[in-house]
Amino acid sequence: MHTQVTEFRRTALTALLDRVVWNTPVIDIHTHLYDPLMGGLLLWGIDELLVYHYLVAEAFRRIETPYENFWRLTKTEQADIVWNELFVKHSPISEACRGVLTTLHRLGLDPRQRDLALLRKWFAQWDQERYVNRCLELANVRTVYMTNSPFDDAEHSVWQKGFLRDERFVAALRVDPILVNWPEAGAKLRQWGYEVSEGFSRHTISEIRRFLADWSHRIKARYMMVSLPPEFTCDETSDCASLIRGAVLPHCRDFNMPFALMLGVKRAVNPGLQLAGDAMGRSDLSTLAHLCANYPENRFLVTVLSRENQHELCVLARKFRNLHVFGCWWFTNVPVLIEETTRMRLELIGTSFTAQHSDARVIDQLIYKWEHSRKVLAKVLLDKYSDIAAAGWEPTAAEVERDVKQLLGGAFEEFLKTATE
Ligand code: FIX
Ligand code: ZN
């Protein structure tokens, strides 16, 4: 009898979760997508899907072509190689390959035909505006956070000229060059009319802050962000520490915006692979603990690239309410790790985090990234609700809706609004 009741409850919960997890619109808090009105920067379509750096890295494992020769090919030729190697000559089992299949399938295409020419023909019928709407609708994504870098030449000029904003796409200010390579970034700032010099004099710091303020206003940034290597520390003598303490954190306080730290990337471990050549390592999170403890009036949005850092990050989130954990980033965005990480986060910090971000670079990817993550989330939540139901706590539909909304961007929005201490 008891088992029957349990089975019945699990079936009802499964149906409820399927409905709620799939129907709750997502706020995608970190992507590399652009507002469609940003002069062609937004990528879409089958060839872009195929030359995504996740797939290129896998294709290079299958071919002997020197790297430079591959990069000299046109996009269509590169896409042909990726398709042939990863979809025709071998089964497309990896998460990135599966992503292309899910995307095509949801768009109503039949990947079984294994016919790239036919796929290209289908994509050619679309115009960008209709296609963007279709992708957002299929992925059920409400808001897309962009990654906006003034140091990116193409983007820089688009922002300078100005354009009519699409309100579904919101901005986040990316400042990696300032924190990772100050001498070069400083030279750029000087070129743009900011009076910065080598040391961090009062005047230089105030000019950096003027730069951050100008760009925060210009793009209407909701938060500031940086990706940092595993070796990142805030030791008193480094440029990075002086800049974070002197410019970034005061700026974030003034503009009431969180500072997003994406920790653990090792850039260009194999430079021949270009964008596909980055790797990762385990970070020392004591630096993060130091920032959270010493700057309680700042808020930190944090994701880590190393599986080994996930547990420590959750524990830190239990200690510091100015720390918001988000997403399963890049190499951790695979079902096995999404499941483990999401389960651990729910068990340690309840629903007070953002379960996922897509990191999409091609708008079509929203479809698969969210479908795959939603599937894992529904599975994990089913277990968690079943556990508390076994203790007599039956969640109502409204409670489940509230929780899922939190996990898919609601908790992040609350965090954005929180007044600092
Ligand atoms: O630093 C980042 O924002 C990373 O997500 C990217 O640099 C990376 O190339 C990527 O696309 C990962 O998904
Ligand atoms: Zn990213």
Side-chain angles (χ1 to χ4, degrees):
M1 182 61 188
H2 180 69
T3 335
Q4 251 179 8
V5 173
T6 313
E7 270 311 303
F8 178 74
R9 183 190 286 141
R10 227 179 136 83
T11 312
L13 265 174
T14 307
L16 175 62
L17 279 166
D18 270 351
R19 175 175 69 74
V20 175
V21 171
W22 296 88
N23 291 344
T24 303
V26 156
I27 300 164
D28 195 342
I29 78 167
H30 170 60
T31 76
H32 297 266
L33 300 173
Y34 293 98
D35 185 315
L37 301 175
M38 286 180 79
L41 290 179
L42 176 63
L43 304 178
W44 62 283
I46 184 66
D47 286 343
E48 297 293 354
L49 283 173
L50 290 172
V51 301
Y52 184 35
H53 68 78
Y54 289 27
L55 289 169
V56 168
E58 292 170 32
F60 270 127
R61 299 183 55 71
R62 300 292 189 183
I63 58 176
E64 303 212 332
T65 324
Y67 301 138
E68 326 77 72
N69 294 6
F70 179 86
W71 297 119
R72 270 200 290 271
L73 300 173
T74 62
K75 191 173 288 173
T76 318
E77 289 166 337
Q78 292 174 359
D80 284 340
I81 294 179
V82 173
W83 174 260
N84 203 31
E85 294 299 330
L86 300 184
F87 292 79
V88 180
K89 284 166 66 182
H90 306 93
S91 291
I93 287 173
S94 74
E95 176 63 6
C97 288
R98 174 186 166 226
V100 176
L101 302 181
T102 302
T103 305
L104 297 177
H105 190 62
R106 284 288 156 232
L107 286 164
L109 291 153
D110 183 1
R112 273 177 312 182
Q113 293 179 333
R114 291 160 169 71
D115 187 341
L116 183 53
L118 210 66
L119 292 173
R120 285 184 172 134
K121 227 167 150 186
W122 183 88
F123 278 91
Q125 306 159 20
W126 288 85
D127 64 63
Q128 182 185 275
E129 193 185 339
R130 273 174 53 238
Y131 193 70
V132 168
N133 294 343
R134 185 76 184 126
C135 290
L136 292 175
E137 177 190 36
L138 283 173
N140 196 10
V141 169
R142 174 157 69 83
T143 305
V144 172
Y145 276 74
M146 303 180 275
T147 295
N148 303 110
S149 173
F151 296 92
D152 178 313
D153 292 338
E155 214 183 320
H156 188 103
S157 56
V158 174
W159 287 113
Q160 290 284 24
K161 271 189 237 130
F163 57 95
L164 201 66
R165 296 283 295 267
D166 178 328
E167 60 188 22
R168 295 168 299 181
F169 291 75
V170 294
L173 180 61
R174 184 83 176 219
V175 294
D176 296 30
I178 294 191
L179 296 178
V180 177
N181 186 354
W182 167 246
E184 230 173 78
K188 275 269 182 197
L189 259 62
R190 274 194 294 279
Q191 203 183 307
W192 294 328
Y194 298 91
E195 290 171 357
V196 297
S197 50
E198 294 228 327
F200 297 110
S201 65
R202 272 242 200 116
H203 187 61
T204 293
I205 289 287
S206 92
E207 283 295 276
I208 298 171
R209 289 188 59 181
R210 185 164 72 84
F211 166 77
L212 296 175
D214 288 348
W215 278 90
S216 298
H217 283 307
R218 180 166 298 133
I219 71 176
K220 298 197 179 78
R222 305 273 177 95
Y223 66 84
M224 253 178 78
M225 68 191 306
V226 64
S227 291
L228 292 166
E231 308 75 48
F232 162 65
T233 56
C234 246
D235 86 66
E236 301 298 304
T237 54
S238 67
D239 284 1
C240 187
S242 314
L243 286 158
I244 289 184
R245 260 185 286 115
V248 172
L249 295 179
H251 172 79
C252 287
R253 292 195 295 270
D254 268 10
F255 280 68
N256 197 24
M257 52 167 79
F259 182 33
L261 294 158
M262 304 178 69
L263 303 174
V265 60
K266 286 192 183 175
R267 296 285 179 202
V269 162
N270 184 350
L273 298 187
Q274 298 194 4
L275 208 51
D278 300 340
M280 50 148 302
R282 182 181 176 158
S283 301
D284 177 358
L285 296 190
S286 58
T287 302
L288 176 63
H290 168 87
L291 289 172
C292 292
N294 289 286
Y295 300 93
E297 64 291 11
N298 277 99
R299 283 162 296 150
F300 301 92
L301 284 165
V302 179
T303 196
V304 284
L305 201 43
S306 155
R307 178 190 194 177
E308 287 68 30
N309 276 143
Q310 301 293 346
H311 185 233
E312 194 180 350
L313 179 63
C314 270
V315 173
L316 283 182
R318 293 176 63 85
K319 308 299 136 196
F320 298 108
R321 60 187 159 173
N322 57 342
L323 168 58
H324 184 87
V325 173
F326 76 96
C328 299
W329 180 24
W330 200 345
F331 309 114
T332 63
N333 191 354
V334 287
V336 61
L337 296 184
I338 303 171
E339 178 165 346
E340 173 184 285
T341 307
T342 308
R343 222 174 256 286
M344 179 162 58
R345 289 173 177 172
L346 286 167
E347 289 173 11
L348 279 164
I349 50 175
T351 59
S352 65
F353 67 99
T354 300
Q356 189 56 300
H357 68 272
S358 76
D359 238 309
R361 284 180 178 264
V362 184
I363 191 130
D364 327 36
Q365 290 166 344
L366 291 176
I367 301 172
Y368 94 77
K369 301 238 188 195
W370 285 107
E371 175 161 339
H372 293 185
S373 289
R374 279 185 155 109
K375 194 167 168 202
V376 179
L377 182 62
K379 180 181 175 195
V380 175
L381 284 176
L382 174 63
D383 284 351
K384 294 295 115 197
Y385 286 124
S386 300
D387 288 348
I388 57 172
W393 184 278
E394 300 275 355
T396 66
E399 285 166 349
V400 171
E401 280 164 16
R402 174 202 60 198
D403 296 350
V404 172
K405 196 171 162 207
Q406 275 225 306
L407 292 166
L408 295 180
F412 164 79
E413 285 207 322
E414 282 166 28
F415 186 73
L416 274 191
K417 283 192 214 124
T418 353
T420 41
E421 293 191 11

